[in-house]
Amino acid sequence: MNTETVYPILAGKRALVVGVANEHSIAWGCALAFRKLGADVVLTYLNEKAYPHVAPLAAEIDAQLLPLDVTQPGQLEALFAALAGQGPLDIVVHSIAFAPKADLQGGLLDCSLDGFLQAMDVSCHSFVRMAKLAAPLMTRGGTLFAMSYHGANKVVPNYNVMGPVKAALEAACRYLAYELGPQAIRVHAISPGPLKTRAASGLKDFDRLLNDAVERAPIGELVDIVDVGNTCAYLASPYAHRLTGSTVYVDSGLNIVA
């Protein structure tokens, strides 16, 4: 019998979650956790092709649904302009990343300039732009999250250009935490272990990464999107109000193993 008691520690808070593509998305795990703990949630969808996959999820948690493609000029600004008239914002999750397939699946030496710049813009600089627009709405403080991966700090075969890009993202989180701290806005990079998401399917030999994680992690289990969501919910709660600027691993301890 499930005797779990859930306390709505995030009641009255509003969370923007960017990056839900389907029910397997890390961003969806975050949205579920925030909603379960009482927060109102705003989701975004990439384009009309993505809308049918995201709209039922938004309806499931009674979330507002707005369009956002960070590569399209003005869309990010339009999103925050729409949110500005609805009251304070407390939580933002940036869970988007992209690199052209040829640049992602080739080695770093062969990565094109255009591919590198596109990966950096979508996967890293869009978070900086998002933070700048979100900060004026976080009038009672808040928490910003960006999704990283262990390949930012150690070489993971086949992660290629995304390693340097995620390293830049983690550094951006630290600098944003420093700049936004006086406004009581906290910033964290979250580094999940390997997860079966649509984005991960673009990595070569990804199944090998999954098997390696199970074999080597101290807990011996893969993490899932709910684990990531619960971690973000804790960090967004009053229980973690003095934590900021960290890269938080949610990987069953895999990152500590040599």
Side-chain angles (χ1 to χ4, degrees), residues 31-234:
L32 285 173
F34 298 150
R35 187 66 183 131
K36 184 176 182 180
L37 295 181
D40 293 320
V41 177
V42 180
L43 300 181
T44 66
Y45 64 96
L46 179 62
N47 50 35
E48 292 304 316
K49 183 178 179 181
Y51 180 83
H53 301 284
V54 184
L57 301 178
E60 183 178 327
I61 60 171
D62 195 26
Q64 184 180 5
L65 184 59
L66 296 169
L68 178 62
D69 180 346
V70 297
T71 68
Q72 297 302 308
Q75 278 206 15
L76 194 58
E77 291 77 7
L79 170 67
F80 281 92
L83 295 176
Q86 301 176 8
L89 186 65
D90 303 282
I91 303 165
V92 175
V93 173
H94 175 285
S95 186
I96 55 176
F98 176 79
K101 186 174 182 179
D103 296 292
L104 178 62
Q105 295 191 345
L108 183 59
L109 284 173
D110 295 319
C111 181
S112 69
L113 174 59
D114 286 345
F116 189 93
L117 293 177
Q118 191 172 10
M120 188 67 77
D121 179 51
V122 174
S123 311
C124 180
H125 192 255
S126 67
F127 179 62
V128 178
R129 304 200 314 269
M130 201 173 290
K132 184 174 183 178
L133 292 166
L137 305 186
M138 292 182 152
T139 55
R140 50 195 180 190
T143 317
L144 302 168
F145 297 100
M147 295 298 156
S148 187
Y149 177 61
H150 191 46
N153 299 289
K154 299 292 184 180
V155 174
V156 175
N158 300 315
Y159 201 53
N160 303 328
V161 65
M162 291 309 298
V165 169
K166 293 292 190 180
L169 179 64
E170 291 188 8
C173 287
R174 291 189 289 271
Y175 277 84
L176 290 173
Y178 174 78
E179 292 185 19
L180 293 172
Q183 301 176 50
I185 298 173
R186 298 172 288 116
V187 187
H188 293 289
I190 305 299
S191 188
L195 282 160
K196 288 186 177 181
T197 63
R198 189 176 72 175
S201 66
L203 297 175
K204 184 180 177 182
D205 295 331
F206 183 69
D207 286 343
R208 187 178 300 174
L209 276 180
L210 293 173
N211 293 336
D212 180 69
V214 173
E215 291 175 2
R216 297 177 62 240
I219 294 178
E221 296 177 346
L222 292 175
V223 298
D224 57 33
I225 63 171
V226 174
D227 297 319
V228 180
N230 287 343
T231 300
C232 290
Y234 156 68

Side-chain angles (χ1 to χ4, degrees), residues 150 216 218 249 251-258:
H150 191 46
R216 297 177 62 240
Y249 285 91
D251 65 353
S252 294
L254 181 62
N255 72 93
I256 70 172
V257 180

